[in-house]
């Protein structure tokens, strides 16, 4: 039985690691940060035609900065409140 218990413990450890790795906050936060950087860089030096279309507002710059803030908020949230995988209930002793 000790071999089975060892295997179950190992699988529980892998499950906890997978839960932390595939936390949706990491995926959403990472994408918002990447897209925020791209949009912010596009908005740093807009053309006159782009400014005219946006009625003088640096819309790419402001949208990119907002995306960066949102992405960093998701990543900070993930860091402050990490995923806690519930512990498996203890199995009762087998009766022979």
């Amino acid at each position: 039985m000790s071999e089975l218990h060892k295997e179950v413990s190992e699988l529980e450890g892998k499950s906890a690691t997978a839960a932390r790795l595939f936390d949706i906050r990491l995926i959403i936060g990472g994408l918002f940060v990447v897209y925020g950087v791209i949009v912010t860089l596009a908005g740093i030096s807009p053309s006159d035609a782009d400014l005219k279309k946006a009625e003088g507002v640096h819309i790419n710059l402001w949208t990119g900065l907002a995306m960066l803030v949102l992405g960093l908020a998701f990543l900070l949230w993930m860091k402050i409140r990490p995923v806690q995988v519930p512990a498996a209930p203890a199995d009762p002793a087998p009766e022979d």
Side-chain angles (χ1 to χ4, degrees):
M1 276 303 223
S2 65
E3 181 68 32
L4 179 63
H5 182 61
K6 180 181 175 184
E7 189 174 328
V8 168
S9 297
E10 184 178 315
L11 287 174
E12 286 174 350
K14 287 181 182 179
S15 175
T17 302
R20 275 187 235 96
L21 182 63
F22 294 110
D23 186 3
I24 193 72
R25 297 173 294 182
L26 176 64
I27 296 166
I28 292 172
L31 284 174
F32 266 101
V33 167
V34 169
Y35 291 145
V37 167
I38 292 169
V39 174
T40 301
L41 290 175
I44 288 177
S45 59
S47 66
D48 291 334
D50 288 339
L51 281 176
K52 186 176 179 181
K53 278 193 261 184
E55 297 182 8
V57 177
H58 292 264
I59 193 72
N60 285 340
L61 180 64
W62 289 112
T63 303
L65 291 174
M67 291 173 79
L68 277 171
V69 168
L70 182 65
L72 291 173
F74 268 94
L75 295 176
L76 181 65
W77 177 26
M78 188 185 76
K79 189 73 169 173
I80 291 173
R81 302 262 329 223
V83 173
Q84 295 178 354
V85 179
D91 292 331
E95 295 179 25
D96 288 318

